[in-house]
Amino acid sequence: MPAEAGHHTATWMAYGATAQAWGTRGVYGASRLVARKDLMRIAANVSRFEPVKVLISNLGDQRQAMRFLDEVRRETPTFAGLTQLPAVESAGAIQFLLCPLDDLWIRDTGPVFVCDDQHRLFGVDLNFNGWGQEDTGVAGWQKDREKAKYGVVDQPVAKDRKIAQFVMKQSGAVPLRTGLVMEGGSIEVDGYGTAICTESSILNANRNPGCTKEDVERELLRLFGVRKVIWLPGLRSRDITDGHVDFYARFVGEATVVYSLENDPGNLDYASTQHNRHILSEATDARGNKLRTVALVSPRALTVRASVEARNGWDRGRSWFNAEGFAAGYVGFYATQACVVVAKFGDKSADEAALEVVRDAHPNRAVIQIYTDGLANGGGTIHCATQQQPWPCPCSTNPITERIRQPGIAELRTSFSRTSWG
């Protein structure tokens, strides 16, 4: 699995946030169209540098998306720092593909792409089960009832469970099958054989009952060429993903990680991000290099709330700000070979500090900072709403075909063949 910030054939997105998934009332109902416009803001900026393929449920949604695209085209920046940006869709028109959808989180519902040393593209279907809500049919599977206690509710996922196969067919990727149940947002790789994952998401009875770290690591080796996993504890039950790693830590180069740091002791993420800092500061990568770590400090919650409410007109009457689930973190950026799209939240000092960190980590890329109030109010980030399709290239650090030919690989295959997915 190549690092995200490499050559891409395209970026995939999904124009979800359907009324069935988000509802039409309450916090999510009020955020739904804001999130859809956020999607087109992301697509517009990424399309300056590479093709963007957007899954869309119907022609009515496509017409709406085109209206939002026209609006964001007029408001998108022409400069990133001192760098003049190419025009929107300079890398080609944003392409819409009809596909039934439930939601927009294609990082989790779509396939994870990998390459081999013979220029072949593979896609891994990770058996999306609604972040643990759907029974996988494996003995020991348990739905996490604690989520409901914290206000996390199930949503329709039947259509989204078919997206990985649809995208692989459209992209021409060769399918790689597994019995492992996880999401793209639950693994972060450096492209050199190292991954960061959270225990709370993958080692969870609502996805992989009875599996140990060793079981999962063997399958990550076969699927992604991962030779070492740095495990973070994560945070179970408090959000729909059970604490995906792409909200906590990201590689920005060999042996270099940026991580989310919450300095408010009253915040839910305070203890977990402080613990993550300690683990990452002591960790080494698959090549034995000690990690260099850089903090992305979270914005101030009250400042963010006031800014979001004012920007969306939620400060008049009842507020639709998602105080318990607003994803105010900078780690959820999306990186291509030529640009990085990172969120801002209205806390000027924190936004500017995060922008500086991301720019320093990506010196040869245009870094574009945008508001994503709808996505964040829905509990997600720019990264959750995108999925990279790498340009197939020789990948000496991830020789998938060599691993498949290795003696004993049948044991690895059968160790995760316990489900109906085979």
Side-chain angles (χ1 to χ4, degrees), residues 158-408:
K159 296 173 183 175
D160 281 351
R161 293 178 72 179
K162 300 176 182 178
I163 286 177
Q165 294 297 320
F166 177 87
V167 172
M168 284 191 286
K169 184 176 180 180
Q170 293 293 320
S171 65
V174 178
L176 282 179
R177 304 292 287 177
T178 180
L180 187 63
V181 179
M182 54 183 279
E183 302 85 36
S186 62
I187 181 169
E188 172 68 15
V189 302
D190 65 353
Y192 299 97
T194 315
I196 309 175
C197 299
T198 52
E199 298 176 23
S200 57
S201 180
I202 300 176
L203 300 176
N204 194 318
N206 64 13
R207 293 171 174 84
N208 300 295
C211 288
T212 65
K213 288 181 181 179
E214 292 74 20
D215 294 331
V216 172
E217 287 172 4
R218 282 197 298 269
E219 189 71 345
L220 296 183
L221 169 65
R222 183 179 76 87
L223 296 171
F224 304 121
V226 167
R227 292 180 286 113
K228 179 173 183 178
V229 180
I230 301 168
W231 289 98
L232 303 179
L235 197 62
R236 196 180 301 245
S237 305
R238 300 302 289 265
D239 76 289
I240 197 169
T241 72
D242 292 299
H244 271 179
V245 73
D246 65 351
F247 189 77
Y248 293 117
R250 304 282 303 285
F251 284 108
V252 290
E254 186 175 5
T256 305
V257 174
V258 295
Y259 64 96
S260 178
L261 183 64
E262 177 56 64
N263 287 324
D264 178 3
N267 191 287
L268 176 65
D269 288 313
Y270 175 79
S272 60
T273 61
Q274 298 289 336
H275 192 188
N276 292 345
R277 174 171 63 174
H278 173 72
I279 293 172
L280 294 168
S281 68
E282 298 294 320
T284 57
D285 67 11
R287 296 183 173 188
N289 301 309
K290 186 174 177 60
L291 295 186
R292 173 178 175 264
T293 59
V294 184
L296 278 168
V297 180
S298 301
R300 294 166 293 183
L302 291 179
T303 304
V304 170
R305 177 168 186 158
S307 178
V308 171
E309 288 176 340
R311 202 160 39 249
N312 294 282
W314 296 343
D315 54 349
R316 299 185 292 273
R318 181 174 179 178
S319 173
W320 298 115
F321 183 79
N322 186 0
E324 296 300 319
F326 191 90
Y330 301 105
V331 169
F333 57 78
Y334 178 62
T336 77
Q337 185 190 13
C339 79
V340 181
V341 185
V342 62
K344 60 180 176 180
F345 300 102
D347 181 339
K348 190 172 186 296
S349 60
D351 288 347
E352 290 178 353
L355 180 61
E356 183 177 354
V357 169
V358 176
R359 278 180 176 162
D360 287 347
H362 302 89
N364 299 316
R365 294 175 177 85
V367 180
I368 305 167
Q369 195 169 36
I370 62 173
Y371 287 114
T372 57
D373 296 343
L375 296 184
N377 217 45
T381 67
I382 297 167
H383 194 250
C384 306
T386 52
Q387 180 61 271
Q388 69 275 7
Q389 179 183 332
W391 188 269
C393 57
C395 189
S396 60
T397 61
N398 187 22
I400 296 293
T401 52
E402 287 187 13
R403 299 194 190 286
I404 290 175
R405 289 194 297 266
Q406 286 178 355

